[in-house]
Amino acid sequence: TMLAQVLGAIETVLQCSDPASVSEKHINKAVTSVLDIHSQLITGSDAAAHEAIKAYLSFLSQAIERLHALDPSVSAARLPDVFAAVGELLLPRAIGDELAVAGANLMCDLIDVCVHGAVIEEAHEAGPSPVKRADTSLERVIAQVLQLLQPSYRKSYHCVLCVVQSLLNRLHRQAAPLLDDVVKQVLHIAQNQKHLSQGAQDEVTHTMGSIVTNLGPEHLLTLA
């Protein structure tokens, strides 16, 4: 499609150009423009729509990684919007789970790129407060991942749980208490997993192992 060709052309420019030649402002504006049309992209189910969605995901990957190279704080600030948009691909679709897998892979990649020390520290320093405040970027991402663990996304749990594992591995011992609600939801899913696909059950097992490895069995027992 024309849209896929346009996104591919922009992505090529991001890949090939001198980092100094494309400003953070221009990339940020391009990301905003692409996210503004995501609802038009994800409704299609034919081959052309799949092509456009794949180009869309590839563009977001390149753009956010380039933003991170220019200004890590700016790339982190874009994560919640990207996760909100891409998360819609994990809703049940009539034809397979290829796009759900691609969307989850993008989320995992962006966690590895953008969730770094300063982003994690900011979320920990914010902490619970009686005074209403804006959630940090990481807290908003975690809230979106928690949403993806709700029953409406059950058919994509095998994808969502990979995203949970990426967060756990990235935060490691700093995962608590930020991921406590996510862990509680995983425990609930684990207790009722007999209705899940075999792939989802396998990922439940892997996620439980990641929880124990990163949070420790003692903390896990406090949440059970």
Side-chain angles (χ1 to χ4, degrees):
T1 65
M2 179 64 71
L3 180 57
Q5 291 173 352
V6 170
L7 290 173
I10 298 173
E11 182 187 349
T12 299
V13 171
L14 290 175
Q15 289 175 327
C16 300
S17 61
D18 179 351
S21 68
V22 183
S23 72
E24 169 262 313
K25 180 180 178 180
H26 288 147
I27 298 174
N28 217 356
K29 187 175 181 179
V31 171
T32 298
S33 297
V34 170
L35 290 176
D36 284 345
I37 63 169
H38 88 274
S39 60
Q40 301 170 35
L41 287 170
I42 65 171
T43 54
S45 59
D46 58 10
H50 275 218
E51 179 188 358
I53 293 171
K54 290 177 183 178
Y56 161 74
L57 294 175
S58 184
F59 164 77
L60 287 175
S61 176
Q62 291 292 330
I64 298 301
E65 288 187 24
R66 178 61 72 88
L67 273 180
H68 180 73
L70 293 169
D71 188 337
S73 65
V74 173
S75 65
R78 295 316 306 253
L79 280 188
D81 293 336
V82 172
F83 270 55
V86 174
E88 295 186 33
L89 295 175
L90 277 70
L91 284 166
R93 300 177 75 86
I95 46 174
D97 65 350
E98 179 185 0
L99 295 180
V101 171
N105 284 342
L106 174 62
M107 291 180 177
C108 292
D109 290 344
L110 294 184
I111 287 169
D112 288 342
V113 170
C114 299
V115 178
H116 51 82
V119 174
I120 298 170
E121 289 167 12
E122 177 190 39
H124 272 289
E125 289 171 1
S129 171
V131 180
K132 184 168 178 58
R133 59 170 177 80
D135 287 338
T136 65
S137 295
L138 179 54
E139 287 173 305
R140 290 171 61 198
V141 165
I142 291 170
Q144 287 159 356
V145 172
L146 182 60
Q147 179 62 35
L148 295 177
L149 288 168
Q150 301 309 306
S152 55
Y153 293 87
R154 182 183 291 110
K155 288 187 177 180
S156 294
Y157 276 172
H158 60 299
C159 301
V160 180
L161 289 168
C162 290
V163 179
V164 173
Q165 292 168 45
S166 288
L167 274 174
L168 284 162
N169 293 336
R170 198 74 179 94
L171 271 63
H172 193 43
R173 293 298 182 182
Q174 292 178 291
L178 293 173
L179 292 181
D180 281 0
D181 287 342
V182 170
V183 171
K184 289 176 184 176
Q185 185 61 24
V186 172
L187 291 174
H188 174 73
I189 291 171
Q191 292 168 353
N192 301 277
Q193 63 176 298
K194 62 182 180 180
H195 300 298
L196 300 180
S197 67
Q198 186 59 53
Q201 291 185 39
D202 290 344
E203 291 306 330
V204 167
T205 300
H206 295 154
T207 305
M208 292 299 296
S210 184
I211 291 170
V212 172
T213 298
N214 291 291
L215 289 177
E218 298 85 0
H219 188 72
L220 177 58
L221 288 172
T222 68
L223 301 175

